[in-house]
Amino acid sequence: MPSALIDDPAHTIPACQPQDQRGTSSPLGATPCREGVNFCVFSKHATGIVLLLFDDADDAQPARAIRIDPASNRTGHYWHVFIPGVMAGQIYGYCVEGPWDPSSGMRFDPAKVLLDPYGRGVVVPDRYSRDAAKGADSNIATAMKSVVVNPSAYDWEGDQPLRLSSAQTIIYEMHVRGFTRHPSSGVGETTRGTFAGLIEKIPYLQQLGITAVELLPVFQFDAQDCPPGKVNYWGYAPVSFFAPHQAYSSRQDPLGPVDEFRDMVKALHRAGIEVVLDVVFNHTAEGGEDGPTLCFRGLDNTAFYILQEDRSGYANYTGTGNTLNANHPVVRRMIVDSLRYWVEEMHVDGFRFDLASILARDPTGQPIPNPPVLWDIDTDPALAGTKLFAEAWDAAGLYQVGSFIGDSWKEWNGRFRDDVRALFHGEPGSAARMADRLVGSPNIYGHEEREAEQSVNFITCHDGFTLNDLVSYDHKHNEANDEGNRDGADDNRSWNCGIEGPSDDPAVEKLRNRQVKNFLAVTLLSLGMPMILMGDEVRRTQSGNNNAYCQDNELSWFDWDLVERHADVHRFVTLLCGRRRLRDTEHERRRWSLNELIRQASKTWHGVKVGRPDWEENSLAFAFEVELRQEGISIYLILNAFWEPLEFELPPVGDGARPWRRWIDTALDAPQDISPWEMAAPLSGCTYRAAAHSVVVLLAGLRGTMNR
């Protein structure tokens, strides 16, 4: 059994201080007031807890060590103490005593300094060591530590979450550090890769036309949770659910990350852009049986994690070594409290839940029909109106796209991604599936009678190929990860357009450009809520790496020179986003379901012949006609994923209507590939020749007008 830190002769720790006040069991965490700070932490099975106060993150010893009296300072399973004179900015941690008996799930290790699960801030010492949190010795000098934060000590200047219409939302999935870390960003060295650096690039986001940024994890994570010699770049290794990641702040004082994150949110809101956080409530950075003791494991292992039947090991439904016990009452409360904090005190607008299906598992790991934590989130009044996105699957085979529980959750539609890729990859049977994805995936979501935006439509995200690499590589190339190219998905449904990797062949490059525009057009034109990946609008590449989680370098960073190099793709996305933001929201105001919206629409499916769509197995082309009555126009969309040009008959336009005009043709060179809506070029004739591998959108004025 590890020796207790307070009894370790190798460390001269100040004597425990007499208690000034008992403190209270609510709220959890460190709560400052005028006279001092109330500290409260949960542990059912601990036998002793010591609160450590530090003057600096790198201190080898605490300035004070206060033993919490289990007789007078414990209420139920909550240990609490009030310390007068302590203020916001105070650095602290816990040492927790209790049984070391892995066979029964008990893994108390009083030699380790633990983070507060409710800590609002975290400091990371220069000598932080993940390995030191695994061994038998004390890690007091190398441990992350929590920070006392006063949430009310910030001037929001009237800012509030934006609550933008889902019908007009365009999501941009991005990495805070990767967005501005590249030297080409033009951001100063001290702010590159930080919340402050992102603020400097807000004009770019405004000009692009997106309405929401979805930030890869910004909760404090363990950057050392990765293979030797690498860095955990993505951040799916949380150690705190309340504290912003210290390394993403240009201010390295203990309170700097909290305020700088808020500065970023406030600035984005002023620009009309919502902030959605990618949150990881399915596992932590503590890993499996041989992992470090950083927080939860050392406080109450049996409460915070789903354990194997024999209690000695961890259930691993995440592929990361452990699984958070999300439906345990204490963990449920922590998750909801975290979400409330980020909405109420940090003003974020929404959350994307990584591997959200894990939250549907009970403490034994079995899926349950009505998971309490999901309904807690869905029905919490403080979260009403907050955007909730579920990645509706996990790493152990539970796949819930189209069946995720709740009334408010929207879903990352993995089948949209797969089926759109399949069509432009030329796979048999993909045309009929693509038609369903185009109109909001009613075959997947129609049974729930939910809104059209329940489906979050995407082709690429952080996990997988970038859009450029999707059309440039037949196979993943993850050698840089030093895992023998075994990591990352093997099923990518990608096509290199004739040559693997970079090419100087003009024909190959032109085809790749066309395919990129095809994917972007379908994403931004389909019913649902569109999401695009950072840099796809300028063909950012990861050199074929489809799992760059450990690549904190130019492989993952946004190269700003690409904005000029691929200006035509950037322009294409900008015009598509501009039109998407003008989408009519009547169906949202009336609370029409997807099914009702489809029933109300005047629509027709076509093939190369008017009114004769081809849904046969080998078909790779179809057309779709729909009237937008509020706009006073008709749209004719052609998808030709066939390897040869096809001549499509055009439906006749109504009496008095203006003839068909070409808005988009991805086969044409810029600026003919897309025009401003009101400048769409008029066509003559009754057919349109759609080039191989192309998307075409034609417009016709229903009332003799095209000025909308």
Side-chain angles (χ1 to χ4, degrees):
M1 175 178 177
S3 59
L5 175 64
I6 58 171
D7 297 326
D8 189 340
H11 298 277
T12 56
I13 302 208
C16 295
Q17 302 297 313
Q19 301 304 302
D20 299 287
Q21 294 186 30
R22 292 184 62 246
T24 63
S25 61
S26 178
L28 282 159
T31 307
C33 66
R34 184 175 301 172
E35 294 79 15
V37 174
N38 186 79
F39 294 88
C40 179
V41 67
F42 165 86
S43 182
K44 179 177 180 179
H45 297 101
T47 58
I49 296 181
V50 178
L51 170 66
L52 306 178
L53 304 182
F54 298 87
D55 293 332
D56 187 82
D58 292 293
D59 285 350
Q61 297 295 331
R64 298 173 66 188
I66 301 100
R67 179 175 286 279
I68 301 177
D69 188 336
S72 61
N73 293 69
R74 180 175 181 178
T75 304
H77 303 316
Y78 297 96
W79 302 66
H80 45 80
V81 62
F82 183 86
I83 309 298
V86 174
M87 299 181 295
Q90 174 67 57
I91 299 170
Y92 70 101
Y94 290 102
C95 289
V96 181
E97 301 163 345
W100 175 262
D101 183 14
S103 64
S104 64
M106 300 296 180
R107 292 179 177 269
F108 291 97
D109 185 349
K112 301 299 180 286
V113 176
L114 306 182
L115 291 166
D116 180 354
Y118 275 70
R120 267 56 172 177
V122 171
V123 291
V124 183
D126 292 338
R127 294 183 296 157
Y128 168 70
S129 172
R130 179 176 174 86
D131 288 339
K134 299 178 183 179
D137 296 332
S138 168
N139 71 333
I140 191 169
T142 61
M144 297 188 205
K145 302 169 183 72
S146 297
V147 179
V148 176
V149 173
N150 181 2
S152 64
Y154 183 79
D155 184 3
W156 278 106
E157 302 179 279
D159 177 80
Q160 292 292 331
L162 295 181
R163 302 288 192 260
L164 298 181
S165 161
S166 292
Q168 295 177 334
T169 294
I170 305 167
I171 306 166
Y172 189 76
E173 192 202 36
M174 66 185 298
H175 190 284
V176 169
R177 178 171 169 81
F179 192 52
T180 63
R181 184 62 188 87
H182 198 282
S184 64
S185 68
V187 174
E189 182 64 36
T190 59
T191 54
R192 285 182 199 162
T194 67
F195 300 128
L198 193 154
I199 292 173
E200 293 187 42
K201 287 296 186 179
I202 287 176
Y204 173 84
L205 299 172
Q206 285 182 291
Q207 192 270 335
L208 185 63
I210 58 94
T211 68
V213 291
E214 183 173 303
L215 305 179
L216 264 67
V218 298
F219 293 0
Q220 181 66 46
F221 60 88
D222 186 356
Q224 294 182 12
D225 185 9
C226 58
K230 303 298 179 184
V231 175
N232 190 309
Y233 171 70
W234 283 352
Y236 292 92
V239 296
S240 171
F241 300 119
F242 291 84
H245 190 58
Q246 183 194 37
Y248 290 168
S249 174
S250 62
R251 293 176 49 186
Q252 289 302 294
D253 58 286
L255 296 175
V258 178
D259 287 343
E260 190 168 316
F261 177 88
R262 290 164 151 182
D263 291 342
M264 178 195 68
V265 172
K266 185 163 59 175
L268 284 163
H269 283 174
R270 285 174 173 170
I273 298 172
E274 291 187 310
V275 179
V276 176
L277 303 186
D278 191 337
V279 292
V280 187
F281 291 118
N282 56 76
H283 75 279
T284 78
E286 291 186 307
E289 296 85 71
D290 59 349
T293 298
L294 305 171
C295 178
F296 312 97
R297 185 198 307 267
L299 275 166
D300 208 312
N301 192 55
T302 60
F304 284 105
Y305 293 112
I306 297 178
L307 303 180
Q308 294 176 355
E309 189 173 352
D310 67 1
R311 311 294 284 172
S312 65
Y314 295 87
N316 186 14
Y317 302 109
T318 64
T320 62
N322 66 48
T323 305
L324 204 66
N325 193 6
N327 283 294
H328 185 285
V330 169
V331 184
R332 282 168 53 195
R333 182 181 302 113
M334 179 183 68
I335 290 172
V336 174
D337 286 348
S338 168
L339 298 173
R340 282 181 167 180
Y341 174 75
W342 288 97
V343 169
E344 296 177 339
E345 302 294 347
M346 306 296 268
H347 286 206
V348 304
D349 304 273
F351 305 94
R352 176 264 185 189
F353 290 73
D354 180 63
L355 298 182
S357 290
I358 283 174
L359 277 66
R361 294 185 182 271
D362 69 13
T364 70
Q366 295 302 307
I368 47 180
N370 285 292
V373 69
L374 293 179
W375 280 113
D376 285 351
I377 297 167
D378 191 279
T379 60
D380 192 287
L383 302 179
T386 300
K387 290 181 169 66
L388 302 174
F389 305 147
E391 184 183 37
W393 54 84
D394 66 18
L398 186 57
Y399 193 79
Q400 298 177 314
V401 172
S403 61
F404 198 78
I405 201 69
D407 298 326
S408 303
W409 295 86
K410 296 172 173 59
E411 297 175 19
W412 266 29
N413 190 346
R415 290 172 62 182
F416 180 95
R417 171 200 60 207
D418 295 343
D419 291 336
V420 178
R421 288 187 181 193
L423 178 72
F424 288 106
H425 190 228
E427 296 179 17
S430 55
R433 298 197 306 272
M434 180 64 241
D436 189 69
R437 306 298 161 261
L438 193 67
V439 294
S441 298
N443 286 350
I444 299 175
Y445 297 110
H447 68 284
E448 295 188 354
E449 292 295 339
R450 289 273 307 280
E451 68 278 9
E453 291 74 32
Q454 186 178 0
S455 173
V456 177
N457 299 332
F458 69 104
I459 306 295
T460 57
C461 64
H462 66 279
D463 187 5
F465 280 143
T466 66
L467 197 50
N468 176 83
D469 292 357
L470 186 68
V471 302
S472 303
Y473 295 90
D474 280 353
H475 309 286
K476 65 184 182 183
H477 295 268
N478 298 358
E479 291 81 6
N481 297 352
D482 295 336
E483 298 182 40
N485 205 34
R486 294 184 300 273
D487 61 307
D490 294 313
D491 180 15
N492 296 288
R493 304 189 182 191
S494 60
W495 177 39
N496 65 17
C497 297
I499 297 175
E500 188 76 354
S503 173
D504 294 329
D505 186 325
V508 170
E509 179 61 19
K510 185 171 184 177
L511 178 55
R512 288 175 176 175
N513 224 41
R514 184 186 308 177
Q515 287 283 73
V516 165
K517 292 176 183 177
N518 291 340
F519 285 122
L520 290 166
V522 169
T523 302
L524 286 161
L525 293 173
S526 296
L527 272 180
M529 189 180 295
M531 184 186 82
I532 58 178
L533 172 65
M534 177 187 85
D536 275 356
E537 74 279 11
V538 293
R539 291 185 55 182
R540 185 180 72 85
T541 180
Q542 291 177 174
S543 299
N545 192 318
N546 73 352
N547 188 35
Y549 77 101
C550 58
Q551 299 294 330
D552 185 9
N553 50 51
E554 293 191 12
L555 189 75
S556 297
W557 301 340
F558 191 117
D559 181 352
W560 288 85
D561 291 337
L562 295 173
V563 178
E564 181 176 354
R565 189 180 312 162
H566 293 294
D568 65 317
V569 180
H570 183 271
R571 172 182 175 273
F572 188 84
V573 175
T574 299
L575 287 174
L576 274 172
C577 288
R579 190 61 218 173
R580 178 84 190 196
R581 292 198 316 276
L582 298 177
R583 183 183 174 208
D584 181 67
T585 59
E586 180 183 11
H587 70 283
E588 192 171 20
R589 294 192 301 271
R590 295 190 178 188
R591 297 183 178 273
W592 284 352
S593 68
L594 172 63
N595 292 338
E596 180 65 19
L597 181 60
I598 292 174
R599 283 193 296 268
Q600 292 286 338
S602 176
K603 62 188 185 304
T604 310
W605 297 101
H606 304 284
V608 292
K609 299 293 184 181
V610 168
R612 294 168 58 184
D614 181 2
W615 306 124
E616 295 298 322
E617 186 75 3
N618 292 324
S619 174
L620 293 173
F622 63 88
F624 177 64
E625 181 186 9
V626 62
E627 292 182 4
L628 304 181
R629 295 189 183 92
Q630 296 296 319
E631 302 277 354
I633 60 172
S634 183
I635 292 179
Y636 191 65
L637 170 66
I638 299 171
L639 299 182
N640 180 19
F642 196 56
W643 52 84
E644 293 180 359
L646 295 175
E647 198 82 20
F648 281 79
E649 289 183 352
L650 299 181
V653 295
D655 293 340
R658 298 181 66 178
W660 290 107
R661 294 170 172 255
R662 185 184 66 236
W663 178 38
I664 294 172
D665 187 337
T666 60
L668 299 179
D669 293 332
Q672 282 75 36
D673 57 341
I674 184 172
S675 63
W677 185 273
E678 64 279 2
M679 297 175 63
L683 302 175
S684 59
C686 57
T687 63
Y688 192 92
R689 183 179 175 84
H693 312 294
S694 70
V695 172
V696 175
V697 183
L698 309 179
L699 312 172
L702 297 180
R703 297 192 297 269
T705 178
M706 286 291 293
N707 59 0
R708 293 185 174 227

Short mmCIF file of all heavy atoms in Angstrom, two decimals, residues 138-176:
data_model
loop_
_atom_site.label_atom_id
_atom_site.label_comp_id
_atom_site.label_asym_id
_atom_site.label_seq_id
_atom_site.Cartn_x
_atom_site.Cartn_y
_atom_site.Cartn_z
N SER A 138 5.73 10.13 -3.86
CA SER A 138 4.93 11.36 -3.93
C SER A 138 5.21 12.10 -5.23
O SER A 138 6.32 12.12 -5.74
CB SER A 138 5.26 12.27 -2.75
OG SER A 138 4.70 13.55 -2.96
N ASN A 139 4.17 12.74 -5.76
CA ASN A 139 4.33 13.56 -6.97
C ASN A 139 4.01 15.02 -6.70
O ASN A 139 3.61 15.76 -7.58
CB ASN A 139 3.43 13.04 -8.10
CG ASN A 139 1.95 13.30 -7.85
OD1 ASN A 139 1.52 13.41 -6.69
ND2 ASN A 139 1.18 13.39 -8.92
N ILE A 140 4.20 15.44 -5.46
CA ILE A 140 3.76 16.77 -5.03
C ILE A 140 4.35 17.89 -5.89
O ILE A 140 3.69 18.88 -6.19
CB ILE A 140 4.07 16.99 -3.54
CG1 ILE A 140 3.38 18.25 -3.02
CG2 ILE A 140 5.56 17.03 -3.28
CD1 ILE A 140 3.42 18.37 -1.52
N ALA A 141 5.60 17.74 -6.31
CA ALA A 141 6.25 18.81 -7.07
C ALA A 141 5.91 18.78 -8.55
O ALA A 141 6.15 19.76 -9.25
CB ALA A 141 7.77 18.72 -6.89
N THR A 142 5.34 17.68 -9.04
CA THR A 142 5.14 17.52 -10.49
C THR A 142 3.68 17.34 -10.86
O THR A 142 3.37 17.00 -12.01
CB THR A 142 5.94 16.30 -10.99
OG1 THR A 142 5.47 15.12 -10.34
CG2 THR A 142 7.42 16.48 -10.75
N ALA A 143 2.76 17.57 -9.92
CA ALA A 143 1.34 17.33 -10.16
C ALA A 143 0.63 18.59 -10.64
O ALA A 143 0.97 19.70 -10.23
CB ALA A 143 0.67 16.83 -8.88
N MET A 144 -0.36 18.41 -11.52
CA MET A 144 -1.29 19.50 -11.80
C MET A 144 -2.03 19.83 -10.51
O MET A 144 -2.25 18.97 -9.67
CB MET A 144 -2.32 19.08 -12.85
CG MET A 144 -1.76 18.75 -14.21
SD MET A 144 -3.12 18.51 -15.39
CE MET A 144 -2.33 17.44 -16.59
N LYS A 145 -2.44 21.09 -10.39
CA LYS A 145 -3.14 21.52 -9.19
C LYS A 145 -4.31 22.42 -9.57
O LYS A 145 -4.30 23.04 -10.63
CB LYS A 145 -2.17 22.25 -8.26
CG LYS A 145 -0.97 21.40 -7.84
CD LYS A 145 0.11 22.18 -7.14
CE LYS A 145 1.32 21.30 -6.83
NZ LYS A 145 2.09 20.94 -8.04
N SER A 146 -5.29 22.49 -8.71
CA SER A 146 -6.48 23.29 -8.97
C SER A 146 -6.29 24.74 -8.52
O SER A 146 -5.36 25.06 -7.77
CB SER A 146 -7.69 22.68 -8.24
OG SER A 146 -7.98 21.40 -8.74
N VAL A 147 -7.17 25.61 -9.01
CA VAL A 147 -7.11 27.04 -8.70
C VAL A 147 -8.49 27.51 -8.23
O VAL A 147 -9.51 27.16 -8.84
CB VAL A 147 -6.69 27.86 -9.94
CG1 VAL A 147 -6.64 29.35 -9.62
CG2 VAL A 147 -5.34 27.37 -10.47
N VAL A 148 -8.50 28.28 -7.17
CA VAL A 148 -9.74 28.91 -6.72
C VAL A 148 -10.11 30.02 -7.71
O VAL A 148 -9.29 30.89 -8.02
CB VAL A 148 -9.60 29.49 -5.31
CG1 VAL A 148 -10.89 30.23 -4.90
CG2 VAL A 148 -9.26 28.39 -4.31
N VAL A 149 -11.34 29.98 -8.21
CA VAL A 149 -11.82 30.97 -9.18
C VAL A 149 -13.09 31.60 -8.65
O VAL A 149 -13.97 30.91 -8.11
CB VAL A 149 -12.09 30.31 -10.55
CG1 VAL A 149 -12.75 31.30 -11.52
CG2 VAL A 149 -10.79 29.78 -11.15
N ASN A 150 -13.22 32.90 -8.80
CA ASN A 150 -14.45 33.61 -8.50
C ASN A 150 -15.19 33.86 -9.80
O ASN A 150 -14.83 34.77 -10.56
CB ASN A 150 -14.16 34.94 -7.80
CG ASN A 150 -15.43 35.69 -7.44
OD1 ASN A 150 -16.54 35.20 -7.68
ND2 ASN A 150 -15.28 36.87 -6.87
N PRO A 151 -16.19 33.06 -10.15
CA PRO A 151 -16.86 33.19 -11.44
C PRO A 151 -17.49 34.56 -11.68
O PRO A 151 -17.64 34.97 -12.83
CB PRO A 151 -17.93 32.09 -11.40
CG PRO A 151 -17.45 31.12 -10.37
CD PRO A 151 -16.74 31.96 -9.34
N SER A 152 -17.84 35.25 -10.60
CA SER A 152 -18.52 36.54 -10.78
C SER A 152 -17.57 37.69 -11.04
O SER A 152 -18.01 38.81 -11.34
CB SER A 152 -19.37 36.85 -9.55
OG SER A 152 -18.55 37.00 -8.40
N ALA A 153 -16.27 37.44 -10.94
CA ALA A 153 -15.29 38.53 -11.09
C ALA A 153 -14.90 38.72 -12.55
O ALA A 153 -13.74 38.54 -12.94
CB ALA A 153 -14.06 38.23 -10.24
N TYR A 154 -15.89 39.07 -13.37
CA TYR A 154 -15.63 39.31 -14.79
C TYR A 154 -16.73 40.21 -15.33
O TYR A 154 -17.91 40.04 -14.99
CB TYR A 154 -15.59 38.00 -15.57
CG TYR A 154 -15.25 38.17 -17.04
CD1 TYR A 154 -13.94 38.36 -17.45
CD2 TYR A 154 -16.25 38.16 -18.01
CE1 TYR A 154 -13.62 38.54 -18.79
CE2 TYR A 154 -15.95 38.33 -19.36
CZ TYR A 154 -14.63 38.51 -19.74
OH TYR A 154 -14.32 38.69 -21.08
N ASP A 155 -16.37 41.15 -16.17
CA ASP A 155 -17.34 42.06 -16.77
C ASP A 155 -17.73 41.54 -18.15
O ASP A 155 -16.98 41.67 -19.12
CB ASP A 155 -16.74 43.47 -16.90
CG ASP A 155 -17.75 44.48 -17.42
OD1 ASP A 155 -18.92 44.11 -17.63
OD2 ASP A 155 -17.35 45.65 -17.62
N TRP A 156 -18.90 40.95 -18.23
CA TRP A 156 -19.39 40.42 -19.51
C TRP A 156 -19.92 41.52 -20.44
O TRP A 156 -20.22 41.25 -21.60
CB TRP A 156 -20.48 39.39 -19.26
CG TRP A 156 -19.97 38.02 -18.93
CD1 TRP A 156 -19.96 37.41 -17.71
CD2 TRP A 156 -19.38 37.10 -19.85
NE1 TRP A 156 -19.41 36.15 -17.82
CE2 TRP A 156 -19.04 35.93 -19.11
CE3 TRP A 156 -19.10 37.13 -21.21
CZ2 TRP A 156 -18.45 34.81 -19.71
CZ3 TRP A 156 -18.50 36.02 -21.80
CH2 TRP A 156 -18.18 34.88 -21.06
N GLU A 157 -20.08 42.71 -19.92
CA GLU A 157 -20.54 43.85 -20.73
C GLU A 157 -21.85 43.54 -21.46
O GLU A 157 -22.05 43.90 -22.62
CB GLU A 157 -19.47 44.27 -21.74
CG GLU A 157 -18.15 44.66 -21.09
CD GLU A 157 -17.10 45.03 -22.12
OE1 GLU A 157 -16.48 44.10 -22.69
OE2 GLU A 157 -16.90 46.24 -22.36
N GLY A 158 -22.75 42.86 -20.75
CA GLY A 158 -24.07 42.59 -21.31
C GLY A 158 -24.15 41.36 -22.20
O GLY A 158 -25.22 41.06 -22.75
N ASP A 159 -23.07 40.63 -22.37
CA ASP A 159 -23.07 39.47 -23.26
C ASP A 159 -23.97 38.37 -22.73
O ASP A 159 -24.09 38.15 -21.53
CB ASP A 159 -21.65 38.93 -23.41
CG ASP A 159 -21.59 37.67 -24.25
OD1 ASP A 159 -21.62 37.80 -25.48
OD2 ASP A 159 -21.55 36.56 -23.69
N GLN A 160 -24.62 37.66 -23.69
CA GLN A 160 -25.43 36.49 -23.38
C GLN A 160 -25.27 35.48 -24.51
O GLN A 160 -24.94 35.86 -25.64
CB GLN A 160 -26.93 36.87 -23.25
CG GLN A 160 -27.26 37.73 -22.05
CD GLN A 160 -27.10 36.99 -20.74
OE1 GLN A 160 -27.25 35.78 -20.67
NE2 GLN A 160 -26.76 37.73 -19.68
N PRO A 161 -25.51 34.18 -24.24
CA PRO A 161 -25.52 33.22 -25.34
C PRO A 161 -26.48 33.66 -26.44
O PRO A 161 -27.53 34.26 -26.16
CB PRO A 161 -25.99 31.93 -24.66
CG PRO A 161 -25.49 32.07 -23.24
CD PRO A 161 -25.65 33.54 -22.93
N LEU A 162 -26.13 33.38 -27.70
CA LEU A 162 -26.83 33.99 -28.83
C LEU A 162 -28.17 33.34 -29.17
O LEU A 162 -29.07 34.01 -29.67
CB LEU A 162 -25.93 33.96 -30.07
CG LEU A 162 -24.64 34.79 -29.98
CD1 LEU A 162 -23.85 34.69 -31.28
CD2 LEU A 162 -24.96 36.26 -29.67
N ARG A 163 -28.28 32.01 -28.97
CA ARG A 163 -29.52 31.29 -29.30
C ARG A 163 -29.90 31.51 -30.77
O ARG A 163 -31.04 31.85 -31.10
CB ARG A 163 -30.66 31.73 -28.40
CG ARG A 163 -30.41 31.53 -26.91
CD ARG A 163 -30.46 30.05 -26.53
NE ARG A 163 -30.49 29.88 -25.09
CZ ARG A 163 -29.44 29.57 -24.34
NH1 ARG A 163 -28.24 29.42 -24.92
NH2 ARG A 163 -29.55 29.41 -23.04
N LEU A 164 -28.97 31.33 -31.68
CA LEU A 164 -29.24 31.50 -33.10
C LEU A 164 -30.12 30.38 -33.63
O LEU A 164 -30.13 29.26 -33.12
CB LEU A 164 -27.94 31.55 -33.89
CG LEU A 164 -26.96 32.69 -33.58
CD1 LEU A 164 -25.74 32.60 -34.46
CD2 LEU A 164 -27.65 34.04 -33.76
N SER A 165 -30.84 30.66 -34.69
CA SER A 165 -31.72 29.69 -35.31
C SER A 165 -30.93 28.46 -35.77
O SER A 165 -29.89 28.58 -36.41
CB SER A 165 -32.42 30.33 -36.51
OG SER A 165 -32.94 29.36 -37.39
N SER A 166 -31.45 27.28 -35.48
CA SER A 166 -30.81 26.06 -35.97
C SER A 166 -30.87 25.98 -37.49
O SER A 166 -29.95 25.45 -38.13
CB SER A 166 -31.49 24.83 -35.36
OG SER A 166 -31.25 24.75 -33.97
N ALA A 167 -31.94 26.51 -38.07
CA ALA A 167 -32.11 26.43 -39.52
C ALA A 167 -31.06 27.22 -40.27
O ALA A 167 -30.78 26.94 -41.44
CB ALA A 167 -33.51 26.92 -39.91
N GLN A 168 -30.46 28.22 -39.63
CA GLN A 168 -29.46 29.05 -40.30
C GLN A 168 -28.06 28.84 -39.72
O GLN A 168 -27.14 29.60 -40.04
CB GLN A 168 -29.87 30.52 -40.18
CG GLN A 168 -31.17 30.84 -40.92
CD GLN A 168 -31.60 32.29 -40.75
OE1 GLN A 168 -31.27 32.94 -39.77
NE2 GLN A 168 -32.37 32.78 -41.71
N THR A 169 -27.90 27.80 -38.91
CA THR A 169 -26.61 27.54 -38.29
C THR A 169 -25.67 26.82 -39.25
O THR A 169 -26.06 25.85 -39.92
CB THR A 169 -26.79 26.70 -37.01
OG1 THR A 169 -27.50 27.48 -36.04
CG2 THR A 169 -25.45 26.28 -36.43
N ILE A 170 -24.42 27.27 -39.30
CA ILE A 170 -23.35 26.62 -40.06
C ILE A 170 -22.18 26.44 -39.10
O ILE A 170 -21.63 27.42 -38.60
CB ILE A 170 -22.91 27.45 -41.27
CG1 ILE A 170 -24.11 27.79 -42.16
CG2 ILE A 170 -21.85 26.71 -42.09
CD1 ILE A 170 -23.80 28.87 -43.19
N ILE A 171 -21.83 25.18 -38.82
CA ILE A 171 -20.82 24.87 -37.82
C ILE A 171 -19.45 24.73 -38.46
O ILE A 171 -19.30 24.15 -39.54
CB ILE A 171 -21.17 23.56 -37.09
CG1 ILE A 171 -22.60 23.62 -36.52
CG2 ILE A 171 -20.17 23.25 -35.98
CD1 ILE A 171 -23.14 22.27 -36.09
N TYR A 172 -18.45 25.26 -37.78
CA TYR A 172 -17.05 25.17 -38.22
C TYR A 172 -16.28 24.47 -37.11
O TYR A 172 -16.04 25.04 -36.05
CB TYR A 172 -16.51 26.58 -38.45
CG TYR A 172 -15.14 26.70 -39.10
CD1 TYR A 172 -14.97 26.49 -40.47
CD2 TYR A 172 -14.03 27.07 -38.36
CE1 TYR A 172 -13.73 26.65 -41.08
CE2 TYR A 172 -12.79 27.24 -38.94
CZ TYR A 172 -12.64 27.03 -40.31
OH TYR A 172 -11.41 27.20 -40.90
N GLU A 173 -15.96 23.18 -37.32
CA GLU A 173 -15.23 22.44 -36.30
C GLU A 173 -13.76 22.83 -36.37
O GLU A 173 -13.12 22.71 -37.42
CB GLU A 173 -15.37 20.93 -36.51
CG GLU A 173 -14.85 20.15 -35.30
CD GLU A 173 -14.47 18.71 -35.62
OE1 GLU A 173 -13.95 18.45 -36.72
OE2 GLU A 173 -14.66 17.85 -34.75
N MET A 174 -13.22 23.28 -35.23
CA MET A 174 -11.86 23.82 -35.25
C MET A 174 -11.11 23.48 -33.98
O MET A 174 -11.68 23.15 -32.94
CB MET A 174 -11.90 25.34 -35.46
CG MET A 174 -12.53 26.10 -34.31
SD MET A 174 -12.68 27.87 -34.64
CE MET A 174 -10.96 28.32 -34.83
N HIS A 175 -9.79 23.61 -34.07
CA HIS A 175 -8.88 23.37 -32.96
C HIS A 175 -8.29 24.71 -32.54
O HIS A 175 -7.71 25.41 -33.38
CB HIS A 175 -7.77 22.40 -33.41
CG HIS A 175 -6.92 21.89 -32.30
ND1 HIS A 175 -5.95 22.67 -31.69
CD2 HIS A 175 -6.89 20.67 -31.68
CE1 HIS A 175 -5.35 21.95 -30.76
NE2 HIS A 175 -5.90 20.74 -30.72
N VAL A 176 -8.45 25.07 -31.28
CA VAL A 176 -8.01 26.40 -30.82
C VAL A 176 -6.54 26.62 -31.14
O VAL A 176 -6.16 27.65 -31.73
CB VAL A 176 -8.26 26.57 -29.31
CG1 VAL A 176 -7.57 27.82 -28.79
CG2 VAL A 176 -9.76 26.64 -29.02
#
